[in-house]
Amino acid sequence: MHEWLVNYGFYSLFLLSFLAATLLPLGSEWLVVALLIGGQNPVAVVAVATAGNYLGALSTYWIGLYGGDFLRRRVLRMDEATTRKAERFYERFGSLSLLFSFLPVIGDPLCLVGGVLQVGFIRFSLLVLTGKLARYAAVAWLTAKGAAL
């Protein structure tokens, strides 16, 4: 396993982090911890995991942005009044909730809703990148502290 992680660790981390940020039920933290314990550079590990996870979230945002009308009407069965109410709520509070896009279960749908409700790309990117970077930095820090015990 160690040899595999050394040879393919960053590629695997990027792919797993990307897929974990889609609507697939996956997690990438375990691989971050494994690579850090294996002696990989913490800055590189956090950067690769953050990049993969952000791009995965961006793909979910894109699906919401360009498939939003179909999702809203056919899948979610939202009428116009419900849509307007959700848009007002999201405009008032919602885009800041993208800081929590790293959370399991609710994070991926937050990115989808960000696309459906057409949150601006720069705002989306800043909020999502901040949340995902903070999460992977916290995992790396906790791993370093735990390894020092």
Side-chain angles (χ1 to χ4, degrees), residues 10 13 17 32 35-36 40-53 132-141:
F10 285 114
L13 179 60
S17 297
V32 168
L35 288 170
L36 293 171
Q40 295 293 334
N41 180 333
V43 173
V45 170
V46 169
V48 169
T50 301
N53 214 240
K132 291 180 180 298
L133 176 62
R135 185 248 328 256
Y136 285 118
V139 170
W141 184 79

Side-chain angles (χ1 to χ4, degrees), residues 7-74:
N7 292 328
Y8 303 107
F10 285 114
Y11 297 113
S12 299
L13 179 60
F14 181 85
L15 181 61
L16 185 59
S17 297
F18 180 92
L19 292 174
T22 65
L23 296 174
L24 298 173
L26 297 170
S28 56
E29 293 80 8
W30 69 270
L31 188 51
V32 168
V33 171
L35 288 170
L36 293 171
I37 290 173
Q40 295 293 334
N41 180 333
V43 173
V45 170
V46 169
V48 169
T50 301
N53 214 240
Y54 164 70
L55 291 173
L58 194 58
S59 68
T60 303
Y61 168 80
W62 183 82
I63 290 168
L65 190 62
Y66 294 105
D69 198 43
F70 171 79
L71 288 170
R72 182 177 55 81
R73 289 186 181 162
R74 301 285 182 166

Side-chain angles (χ1 to χ4, degrees), residues 3 9 21 25 28 38 42 45 61 63 68 73-74 77 86 88-89 93 103 108 114 122 125 131 136 139 145 149:
E3 183 179 320
S28 56
V45 170
Y61 168 80
I63 290 168
R73 289 186 181 162
R74 301 285 182 166
R77 298 178 193 256
R88 282 193 305 271
F89 179 83
F93 304 108
L103 292 172
D108 302 335
I122 292 174
S125 293
Y136 285 118
V139 170
K145 291 296 181 189
L149 293 178

